[in-house]
Amino acid sequence: MRRIAGIVLAVLLIGGVVAAVVAGRQGDDKGTATKTVRGVIGSEKSDFFADPDVVKALAAKGYTVQTEASGSWAMEDLDLKGYDFAFPSSSAPADTLAAKYHARQPLPRPFYSPLVVVAHRSAAEVLAANGLAVLDGKGKGTLKMAAYLDAARHDRTWQQLKGATAHGELTGTLYITSTDPETSNSGALYLAAASYVANGGRVVASDADVAATAPLLRKLVSVQGAQQPSSDSVFRDFISGAGNPLVCLYESQVVSLLGDRGGQQGADSDLVVLYPDTTVNSDHTIVPLDDAGRQLGELLSTDPALRRLAVRHGFRPQGDSAEFVKATAGRAAYLNQTLTGVRQAPVPTSAVLHEMARRARG
């Protein structure tokens, strides 16, 4: 009996040790495991989510984020089954997606970025000489939207502007390159800002407003010919020296570029950043499709490390302008850090923007 009892006791002790080891391993796994979250994002956030430091910061909070890029307005036509979140570039497409997928309000809005116009120096100086812009130093200035829209309304060419003949690259119709407003957020927001100015400083809200502003918006778009589906594409063309000397895109893309190049004044001697005196903020808004998506949105909004990394990629965190100003001090020669003299136009509803884009595209 003693021998049997000894064998049973030994078996129990060994079993206890094995159970403890397994429990310990499970505890270790729980501490290092990450929850995989899948989402569809605007292309301008691809570099942010691919940044190794962002990946590391998310993993430290227990998340692995897998993303696919899409035009913000094109997300409405995607089947988002199996995804945890959608992350378009502004509130209008986000609100449409939230209604479609019954996402609980409020929607997380971790950061934002105003629309700007990047210009080659020769183009910026000619605009300033003709009252269409005001330059503030060598790297930045203000685009006078009413004056620019008046020039567009009358089909003005570069050759009609004084000083343009000294620059052989400034020929043809004066216009700003933008993205396709039917699929891309930046293109739609460009129309939102232009329509607000054209509508006498009132947001376009009725069929009559849409009809009144449609001819001008049609001119702004038709002069461009084929349009790119994303602001990344038009920015790459601009940087390479190809295409039009005036391009509408997000401030975040400029900040990110300057950061990659060290943010040194003179590193981009041909770049001038023009802030429209009436512009629109691109409120990057997460549409949570489940609890994991909402948790990610709240993490991006509140985690100090992730907010700092968002600024590195040019985004302005919600709720603290000083955070952005401090982090971009080395790039102040190109940036209107406090958006002084810039008016924020309200954005029309999703339905109105869709109709404006449809008529502008003809």
Side-chain angles (χ1 to χ4, degrees), residues 241-266:
N244 195 42
L246 300 173
V247 174
C248 177
L249 40 76
Y250 301 115
E251 178 195 56
S252 59
Q253 293 168 288
V254 179
V255 179
S256 182
L257 170 71
L258 294 173
D260 291 342
R261 298 187 180 185
Q264 300 297 319
Q265 185 170 356

Side-chain angles (χ1 to χ4, degrees), residues 7-56:
I7 292 171
V8 171
L9 181 59
V11 169
L12 291 173
L13 287 171
I14 293 171
V17 171
V18 171
V21 170
V22 170
R25 286 179 178 172
Q26 288 177 339
D28 290 343
D29 290 344
K30 185 176 180 181
T32 58
T34 58
K35 180 188 299 183
T36 298
V37 183
R38 296 181 63 215
V40 179
I41 62 172
S43 61
E44 70 291 328
K45 292 183 285 288
S46 295
D47 288 346
F48 172 76
F49 281 104
D51 185 335
D53 289 336
V54 173
V55 173
K56 183 178 178 181

Side-chain angles (χ1 to χ4, degrees), residues 213-237:
T213 56
L216 174 59
L217 300 188
R218 173 63 180 155
K219 281 195 172 187
L220 297 179
V221 170
S222 62
V223 71
Q224 300 182 46
Q227 290 179 291
Q228 297 274 18
S230 77
S231 56
D232 280 349
S233 300
V234 294
F235 196 25
R236 283 196 298 269
D237 287 346

